[in-house]
Amino acid sequence: MTAFKSGDPTTLNRLYGRQSGHKLRMGQQALVDELLPAISVPEEGEITAGGLFGFDRPLHFEIGFGSGEHLAYRADMLPDHGFIGCEPFLNGVVGALGHIRDQHLANVRLHMGNALDVLARVPDGALSFVYLLHPDPWPKARHAKRRMMNKGPIDLIAAKLKPSGEFRFGTDHPIYLRWALMVMREREDFEWLCETPADFLKRPGGWPETRYEAKARRKGHEVWYFRYRRK
Ligand SMILES: C[S@@+](CC[C@H](N)C(=O)[O-])C[C@H]1O[C@@H](n2cnc3c(N)ncnc32)[C@H](O)[C@@H]1O
């Protein structure tokens, strides 16, 4: 298994950004106390589809799912597939738990914390899809190492995807866009699935708008969508 090397300065060995916001209401706290433990990724050991869902199935992995709109939409669309979502922000996790309860999703497992810790425990070549939607931009150059789009995390994503597996990335941040294109241009292990500008300017089918994205559009931001196939 490819380990997540926390000593490597190009990887994210700690969490940046906030981990909780407004106080939870009683119903939200109940979701955290009751539903979250029931569907959490185990704390230790290898993470496989069989171990999580009882039998082998295509596995999807979302890094930083925010309030879980995309995760829930995909899981609802593909009920025979398994979904792992990771998000350190408690109020976001509560949002995802609400979707999972309301949509009766039995094919989602969550981790409240750093996605890379969990990704490192997935066997190499086990994932069909990895999603990284609107990662925190860390626009200042001196914070560039905090960006998820860096060699360490992308090496890990590459290792965990199966051949022909797909890495989807979206951003509305021009600095992040340039940075991501630079990082991905260096990669010989990914093929950018792009034939015309429409491929990155228009949201691809099966890629729902998240609350974050809707807000970005309301502010007049453009949004760019990228699909990379693991060679
Ligand atoms: C700008 S938000 C976007 C949320 C969501 N992907 C969307 O499109 O609505 C970025 C999210 O990444 C999460 N995040 C930051 N670092 C992370 C990490 N190491 N592992 C998992 N999630 C992380 C943040 O907590 C935040 O919710």
Side-chain angles (χ1 to χ4, degrees):
M1 218 188 301
T2 306
F4 168 40
K5 288 173 268 156
S6 56
D8 180 345
T10 60
T11 58
L12 301 180
N13 54 14
R14 51 163 290 196
L15 280 168
Y16 298 98
R18 61 183 186 157
Q19 281 157 54
S20 66
H22 64 77
K23 195 172 177 319
L24 301 185
R25 294 191 301 275
M26 229 162 63
Q28 293 177 319
Q29 189 61 52
L31 282 175
V32 174
D33 294 341
E34 289 157 29
L35 183 54
L36 183 58
I39 61 164
S40 278
V41 170
E43 293 284 324
E44 287 176 357
E46 194 173 60
I47 296 169
T48 62
L52 292 180
F53 302 103
F55 55 91
D56 198 23
R57 43 168 77 192
L59 265 187
H60 301 232
F61 194 103
E62 183 159 349
I63 299 171
F65 56 69
S67 300
E69 299 94 352
H70 174 272
L71 184 67
Y73 179 98
R74 298 283 295 169
D76 192 38
M77 193 171 104
L78 298 165
D80 298 334
H81 294 203
F83 288 77
I84 301 170
C86 303
E87 171 56 60
F89 183 50
L90 171 65
N91 304 68
V93 171
V94 169
L97 289 169
H99 292 300
I100 291 166
R101 176 201 54 200
D102 297 346
Q103 294 173 239
H104 307 287
L105 300 173
N107 57 339
V108 182
R109 297 292 178 269
L110 301 183
H111 171 70
M112 189 164 76
N114 192 342
L116 300 182
D117 293 341
V118 174
L119 194 54
R121 289 163 50 210
V122 172
D124 288 356
L127 297 176
S128 297
F129 283 85
V130 175
Y131 309 101
L132 175 63
L133 309 184
H134 300 281
D136 292 325
W138 298 110
K140 292 181 183 156
R142 67 189 162 90
H143 289 151
K145 284 201 177 121
R146 297 182 182 185
R147 296 176 190 153
M148 194 55 80
M149 269 285 190
N150 263 308
K151 183 172 163 23
I154 301 299
D155 281 350
L156 195 60
I157 291 169
K160 303 306 170 181
L161 275 170
K162 54 177 60 174
S164 293
E166 201 172 305
F167 171 43
R168 294 188 176 182
F169 158 71
T171 187
D172 66 309
H173 201 290
I175 292 177
Y176 210 99
L177 170 73
R178 279 198 295 278
W179 177 267
L181 285 173
M182 192 181 76
V183 169
M184 292 308 289
R185 208 174 33 225
E186 304 274 295
R187 313 281 323 189
E188 290 184 356
D189 44 3
F190 283 100
E191 176 194 358
W192 184 13
L193 299 176
C194 178
E195 283 170 9
T196 73
D199 292 327
F200 61 87
L201 293 173
K202 281 196 178 163
R203 191 200 337 277
W207 185 328
E209 186 179 62
T210 63
R211 237 172 31 187
Y212 179 90
E213 184 183 324
K215 198 166 146 195
R217 287 209 179 272
R218 279 199 301 277
K219 287 192 224 161
H221 296 188
E222 250 196 281
V223 179
W224 300 283
Y225 310 88
F226 294 89
R227 295 170 54 222
Y228 292 93
R229 184 185 292 137
R230 180 74 169 94
K231 287 187 190 163

